Amino acid sequence: MTSEKSETDDPQCPMCPAGTLREGTTTLTMERGEATIVFKDVPADVCDTCGEAFVGENVSEEVYEQAEEAIEAGVQFDVRRYNSRPKTAV
Ligand SMILES: [Zn+2]
């Protein structure tokens, strides 16, 4: 195997050929009926060329759960900062 493509480990952007995904943050808006919960500082892979942000499955699941919780608690609109809760198995 003579592969010399180890220039960078950064994944390529699926939206544009020139873009490279880099670690960054984005803002996610969850809408559920009349409730809107905005999450800022959500960790994501952000393209350095087109600016498209890709949120991982785990993170988006967690955002979704936190939004659900807030909505269940009666929140109609909220802007909050995402913070990942460490999953401690008890
Ligand atoms: Zn891109």
Side-chain angles (χ1 to χ4, degrees):
M1 292 251 240
T2 47
S3 162
E4 303 205 5
K5 278 208 210 153
S6 51
E7 217 173 83
T8 170
D9 286 339
D10 289 331
Q12 206 187 323
C13 174
M15 305 295 280
C16 62
T20 300
L21 299 181
R22 299 190 190 278
E23 275 179 42
T25 58
T26 188
T27 300
L28 280 186
T29 305
M30 305 293 291
E31 283 181 84
R32 191 65 183 269
E34 303 199 343
T36 303
I37 314 289
V38 180
F39 287 88
K40 301 189 112 180
D41 291 337
V42 178
D45 292 328
V46 183
C47 175
D48 62 358
T49 301
C50 71
E52 190 74 30
F54 300 90
V55 178
E57 216 172 288
N58 291 346
V59 172
S60 62
E61 237 169 65
E62 211 170 318
V63 168
Y64 186 82
E65 271 173 32
Q66 289 184 25
E68 290 271 284
E69 274 173 31
I71 291 164
E72 265 171 41
V75 175
Q76 288 271 305
F77 180 79
D78 195 24
V79 180
R80 51 182 64 196
R81 197 171 253 191
Y82 172 84
N83 51 64
S84 104
R85 291 177 294 194
K87 289 201 170 139
T88 40
V90 185

